[in-house]
C-alpha cells in the first residue's frame, strides 16, 4: 500500500470514529426577538431613509468646503461667505451605536423605565445595519432598550452600512436614530406603520407577566470516539530482579 493511500485511510478512520450525542441546553423564555420585516418592505425603508439623509450628507460636504475656502479667504482678509443652511432633520438625528445607546438611556430614564406610549405625532425609529456589524452581538442590547423607549427597531438589509455612509458623507455607519415627525418624513413614517414594536410584555407592565415554563432545547451534535488507552504492563516482581536471584542461589 502506498503512503498516500495509508494517509487517506487514517483520515477516513478518524472521520468515521464519531458518534451522535444529544445535549440539553436551558433557554430563557424571556428572549426578545427582533421585529420580523418582509424583505420588500425592508428595501423600501432603506431607500426612503437614504432619501431623507441625503440632504444632511450634502450639508456636511458644503460645510467642509466652506471651511476650506474660509481658510484661504482669511489669508487674503476677504469676507467669508455665509455658511450653508442646516437641515432641520439634523437636530433629530443621532448617528453611531454609542450615541444611540446614550440617547435611549436618557429616554428610558425620562419615561421611568416603563414602555409608555410615544409622543403624539413623533415616531422614534432605530435603524441598525446588524448584518454588517462585526461582531454581531454589539447590537444585542437594542431590542430591550427599544421596547422600554417605545421606539421602532429596524434591522436593515446586508450592505446597508456603506449606503448610509455615502448618504451621510461618512466613512462608516452602523446605526442611526431618527425622530420622525408627522408631515415631514411622511413616506418613512408610513413605511414604519407596518413594522411592529418590540414585543416584551414583561418589560411594559408587571400585571402582564405570566408564568413561562422552562424551555429546554436538545441539540444534536457529534463527539469523537477516543480509543481506549492500552494499560501498561504490570511491574516485574522483586523476586525476578537479578540481585534477588543471586541471594536465592547463595
Amino acid at each position: 500500500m502506498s503512503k498516500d493511500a495509508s494517509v487517506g485511510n487514517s483520515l477516513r478512520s478518524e472521520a468515521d470514529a464519531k458518534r451522535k450525542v444529544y445535549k440539553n441546553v436551558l433557554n430563557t423564555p424571556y428572549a426578545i426577538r427582533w421585529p420580523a420585516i418582509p424583505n420588500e418592505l425592508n428595501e423600501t425603508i432603506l431607500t426612503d431613509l437614504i432619501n431623507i439623509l441625503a440632504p444632511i450628507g450634502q450639508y456636511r460636504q458644503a460645510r467642509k468646503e466652506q471651511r476650506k475656502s474660509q481658510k484661504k479667504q482669511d489669508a487674503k482678509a476677504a469676507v467669508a461667505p455665509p455658511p450653508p443652511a442646516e437641515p432641520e432633520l439634523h437636530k433629530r438625528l443621532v448617528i453611531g451605536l454609542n450615541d444611540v445607546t446614550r440617547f435611549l438611556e436618557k429616554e428610558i430614564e425620562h419615561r421611568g423605565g416603563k414602555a409608555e406610549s410615544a409622543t403624539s405625532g413623533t415616531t422614534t425609529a432605530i435603524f441598525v445595519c446588524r448584518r454588517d456589524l462585526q461582531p454581531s452581538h454589539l447590537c444585542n442590547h437594542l431590542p430591550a432598550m427599544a421596547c422600554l423607549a417605545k421606539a421602532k427597531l429596524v434591522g436593515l438589509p446586508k450592505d446597508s452600512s456603506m449606503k448610509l455612509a455615502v448618504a451621510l458623507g461618512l466613512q462608516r455607519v452602523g446605526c442611526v436614530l431618527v425622530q420622525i415627525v408627522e408631515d415631514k418624513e411622511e413616506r418613512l413614517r408610513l413605511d414604519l406603520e407596518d413594522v411592529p414594536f418590540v414585543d416584551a410584555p414583561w418589560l411594559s407592565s408587571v400585571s402582564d407577566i405570566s408564568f413561562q415554563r422552562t424551555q429546554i432545547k436538545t441539540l444534536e451534535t457529534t463527539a469523537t470516539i477516543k480509543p481506549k488507552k492500552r494499560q501498561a504492563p504490570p511491574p516485574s516482581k522483586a523476586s525476578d530482579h537479578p540481585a534477588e536471584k543471586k541471594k536465592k542461589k547463595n
Side-chain angles (χ1 to χ4, degrees):
M1 184 182 293
S2 65
K3 184 178 180 181
D4 294 340
S6 60
V7 172
N9 291 333
S10 63
L11 291 176
R12 279 194 296 272
S13 62
E14 290 180 4
D16 295 338
K18 291 185 179 181
R19 60 188 176 88
K20 287 185 179 180
V21 293
Y22 299 91
K23 295 186 178 181
N24 296 325
V25 181
L26 290 177
N27 188 26
T28 173
Y30 297 104
I32 304 178
R33 301 181 183 277
W34 286 68
I37 305 174
N39 293 335
E40 186 177 353
L41 176 59
N42 215 354
E43 292 290 346
T44 303
I45 290 174
L46 177 60
T47 301
D48 293 338
L49 177 63
I50 290 174
N51 289 337
I52 69 168
L53 295 181
I56 295 178
Q58 296 168 4
Y59 166 75
R60 289 175 177 274
Q61 184 63 27
R63 286 282 296 174
K64 185 177 180 180
E65 294 176 356
Q66 194 252 352
R67 283 194 292 268
K68 288 182 179 179
S69 61
Q70 187 174 359
K71 289 181 180 179
K72 295 179 181 180
Q73 290 171 355
D74 288 343
K76 298 179 181 180
V79 179
E86 179 184 7
E88 191 270 338
L89 177 64
H90 199 198
K91 299 177 181 178
R92 296 183 279 113
L93 176 69
V94 183
I95 304 173
L97 188 60
N98 292 335
D99 289 342
V100 169
T101 301
R102 282 190 284 267
F103 179 91
L104 292 174
E105 287 175 348
K106 293 180 181 179
E107 187 69 15
I108 294 170
E109 185 179 359
H110 175 70
R111 292 174 178 271
K114 296 181 179 180
E116 303 170 352
S117 58
T119 307
S120 178
T122 304
T123 302
T124 302
I126 310 163
F127 303 93
V128 189
C129 307
R130 58 182 301 209
R131 292 173 177 82
D132 301 327
L133 289 176
Q134 294 295 334
S136 58
H137 64 261
L138 287 175
C139 57
N140 285 354
H141 62 287
L142 291 179
M145 299 189 76
C147 178
L148 291 172
K150 204 59 181 179
K152 296 271 184 155
L153 182 63
V154 179
L156 295 174
K158 188 174 177 58
D159 299 327
S160 56
S161 176
M162 184 60 65
K163 296 177 182 178
L164 293 182
V166 172
L168 289 170
L170 299 173
Q171 292 183 349
R172 186 189 312 170
V173 176
C175 178
V176 296
L177 181 146
V178 183
Q179 290 183 299
I180 301 170
V181 177
E182 192 174 353
D183 297 331
K184 289 189 176 181
E185 294 84 30
E186 191 64 13
R187 291 194 57 166
L188 188 58
R189 187 188 69 81
L190 293 175
D191 293 339
L192 293 176
E193 285 187 351
D194 296 328
V195 177
F197 283 98
V198 178
D199 184 24
W202 57 90
L203 293 178
S204 58
S205 175
V206 176
S207 60
D208 294 337
I209 296 179
S210 59
F211 173 75
Q212 299 288 335
R213 294 183 179 275
T214 303
Q215 297 182 1
I216 302 177
K217 297 192 299 183
T218 302
L219 303 179
E220 180 181 333
T221 182
T222 58
T224 304
I225 300 176
K226 296 182 179 180
K228 293 183 179 180
K229 294 182 178 180
R230 294 182 179 180
Q231 295 182 353
S236 58
K237 296 181 180 179
S239 59
D240 296 336
H241 196 274
E244 293 292 332
K245 289 181 178 180
K246 289 181 179 180
K247 288 181 181 179
K248 287 181 180 179
K249 290 179 179 181
N250 296 333

